[in-house]
Amino acid sequence: MSASPDPQPPPGVVELREDLPLKASSAAGGAASGSAHCAGGPRLILAAFAALSAAITLALLTQIYYGDYEVVPHGSVAASGAECSRAGTGALRAGGRALDAAAAAALCLAVLAPHRTSLDASGALLYWEYRSSRWESPTLAEWGGAEEGAGGAGGARPPRLLAALAALHERYGALPWPQLLQPAIDIARKGFLVSEGLAQAAEARGLAGYVAGQPRTEPALADFLETLQLNTSAELCAAWRCAGSVRTSSAAATRAGSWRVWAAGAGGRHAAAALAAALPPPPATAVPPDDTLTRVVVELQQQAAGVAAWPAGVASGLAVVDPQDTYVALVTGLSTAFGSDGAAVGAAGNAAVDAAGSYGWARDTPRAPLDLAPALLVDEHVCGTRYVIGAESGAALAQSAAAALAGGAPAAAAEGARVALAAGGALAREAGRAAPAPLAAPLAALLPRGAALNASRPYAAVNLIQQRGDALLSHADSRGGGIASRF
């Protein structure tokens, strides 16, 4: 089953398949006008030529500094769930901004993928109004996690993800708050098909009622979300005091070759450092493309061997580009599948009540850094390529970004076989996927001799959007079970 039907798109707006590029229409306007005159001679000709030259110069400067004006609305959302990608683009087509789409998709994922995220998930988000503020750094917002401290874990409090999204919506949102909750409510009440990954995670936690390919409803969760439609996000934040729960700052860039990398979350920061070490900035000698991936993995191994607490947990990521070229990379996650308190609530069934007295959600209390890795990658050249990435682990971000920056297509960068990284630097292969070609030979040296390591499920997905000029390419990693939605 799927979410409620998307709002009808404006005339001329067509939703595209994930494998087709999206290009904004260009409009050429201008009318040549002339009038009869009896005098003027060379002076009139020179004056007209000067005015034309000034107009052309002004137009070129405007295009260089502010970009092309988009005549046809466009946008894209790539999330670990097809219904959630469509919920995001539905918000964009209704006139919403990138934050609206990210909120609708993230709430949808809390219903579809409770083994990866929830209403109490911690999160990391990068927000950048590229068209209007490309010379300013993106905004970084983080909440929950081990960094929250003991004070945020005890006592009565609202669900972390809901409180954070309400605070961000109050600042950046355009659509009414109740409208963003509706897709998640519809999916929870009408039902959804349980994915194979969700069924496997539920079996591992001893939770009943999750059968792969069978429908499941979450009426208690729908009821709880409906109560939140009675208030605006500002009213909820006033009651919850949620603004203080979100840690915001100006994101710091890392140079990786000719690229600027902004990465958030504990996993994202490790990935950015590995990319910077593997791709030294110009004019240093360029690293051969077939050696970049190996260098990235080795750098990650060295980092993992040198830190006391390597990021862990499960996550769900998404990427958004809206018609105003505003970018949002968001990853939310839990310390363990279904959260640290998820087993108790799941075992009691849909009518369970958690310790906070709220229906349909359970607490998660991370004790170690969570492996969240949203990122923005920007080519330094004018009108260069940009990537918006919601990666569900730092190792996945580093390897997929290395493939993309070496010239790989977005789909190949997201879907390519990867190795997972555990504490201490141990590598693990993903079952059913061959080792990445650049790592095939070095794997014998990188892995302990005779070791047969397999990465644990769910595998970390990478959902990304590439923008080059006005063309959009988006892809949702099959590891997360999503399909990107664009129009």
Side-chain angles (χ1 to χ4, degrees):
M1 300 183 184
S2 60
S4 57
D6 291 333
Q8 289 298 318
V13 176
V14 179
E15 184 170 358
L16 300 180
R17 297 195 311 275
E18 184 172 301
D19 58 343
L20 295 179
L22 177 67
K23 295 186 178 180
S25 299
S26 61
S33 61
S35 59
H37 58 85
C38 300
R43 289 184 179 179
L44 181 60
I45 295 175
L46 290 175
F49 182 77
L52 178 62
S53 299
I56 293 175
T57 301
L58 179 61
L60 289 174
L61 289 174
T62 300
Q63 180 171 341
I64 290 174
Y65 284 97
Y66 296 101
D68 295 331
Y69 176 72
E70 298 295 340
V71 177
V72 176
H74 73 291
S76 182
V77 179
S80 290
E83 296 95 330
C84 302
S85 296
R86 289 196 293 269
T89 52
L92 295 180
R93 290 204 295 271
R97 297 297 306 274
L99 194 280
D100 297 308
L107 292 170
C108 168
L109 287 168
V111 179
L112 283 185
H115 60 309
R116 290 177 178 262
T117 183
S118 78
L119 297 186
D120 197 42
S122 301
L125 174 145
L126 289 167
Y127 178 92
W128 197 15
E129 296 180 354
Y130 178 81
R131 178 180 293 277
S132 60
S133 305
R134 69 178 65 181
W135 308 121
E136 299 177 7
S137 295
T139 297
L140 165 64
E142 295 178 295
W143 59 91
E147 300 85 350
E148 185 181 57
R157 61 169 176 77
R160 288 191 184 96
L161 177 61
L162 275 171
L165 292 179
L168 293 167
H169 175 264
E170 185 182 4
R171 181 175 179 182
Y172 298 115
L175 292 180
W177 172 253
Q179 189 170 342
L180 305 182
L181 297 171
Q182 195 60 51
I185 293 171
D186 291 341
I187 293 175
R189 195 169 299 285
K190 297 176 182 178
F192 59 94
L193 295 180
V194 175
S195 67
E196 182 178 350
L198 174 55
Q200 291 175 345
E203 182 179 4
R205 287 295 300 269
L207 304 180
Y210 296 91
V211 180
Q214 296 299 310
R216 178 180 173 87
T217 60
E218 297 287 354
L221 188 58
D223 290 342
F224 176 67
L225 291 175
E226 282 183 341
T227 65
L228 303 181
Q229 290 185 303
L230 302 177
N231 302 98
T232 66
S233 58
E235 291 170 340
L236 287 175
C237 275
W240 287 345
R241 297 178 182 155
C242 55
S245 65
V246 180
R247 307 181 293 274
T248 59
S249 63
S250 180
T254 300
R255 289 292 300 271
S258 62
W259 294 77
R260 285 181 295 164
V261 178
W262 289 276
R269 286 184 276 273
H270 283 294
L275 287 168
L279 295 168
T285 303
V287 178
D290 61 353
D291 192 38
T292 303
L293 190 55
T294 303
R295 287 174 177 258
V296 164
V297 173
V298 171
E299 289 292 336
L300 287 173
Q301 281 189 296
Q302 293 175 351
Q303 292 180 39
V307 299
W310 186 250
V314 292
S316 184
L318 60 92
V320 179
V321 175
D322 74 8
Q324 286 75 38
D325 289 346
T326 298
Y327 304 149
V328 169
L330 170 62
V331 181
T332 62
L334 305 168
S335 57
T336 187
F338 296 96
S340 57
D341 297 338
V345 172
N350 288 337
V353 184
D354 73 354
S358 300
Y359 287 88
W361 66 279
R363 291 181 182 277
D364 181 54
T365 307
R367 304 296 183 187
L370 295 182
D371 204 355
L372 313 179
L376 301 174
L377 282 61
V378 177
D379 189 345
E380 295 284 5
H381 298 92
V382 176
C383 297
T385 303
R386 287 94 69 192
Y387 287 95
V388 184
I389 304 177
E392 297 171 354
S393 80
L397 170 62
Q399 294 171 76
S400 62
L405 302 190
E415 293 290 347
R418 299 187 286 266
V419 291
L421 194 70
L427 299 180
R429 299 184 185 93
E430 295 176 342
R433 293 177 184 263
L439 281 176
L443 265 181
L446 293 175
L447 290 171
R449 184 174 300 276
L453 300 177
N454 287 321
S456 60
R457 296 180 184 271
Y459 296 152
V462 174
N463 303 314
L464 60 83
I465 302 173
Q466 178 200 73
Q467 184 167 19
R468 181 175 293 159
D470 291 328
L472 291 179
L473 284 171
S474 53
H475 187 80
D477 195 341
S478 63
R479 294 172 179 84
I483 297 177
S485 175
R486 295 179 286 126
F487 67 93

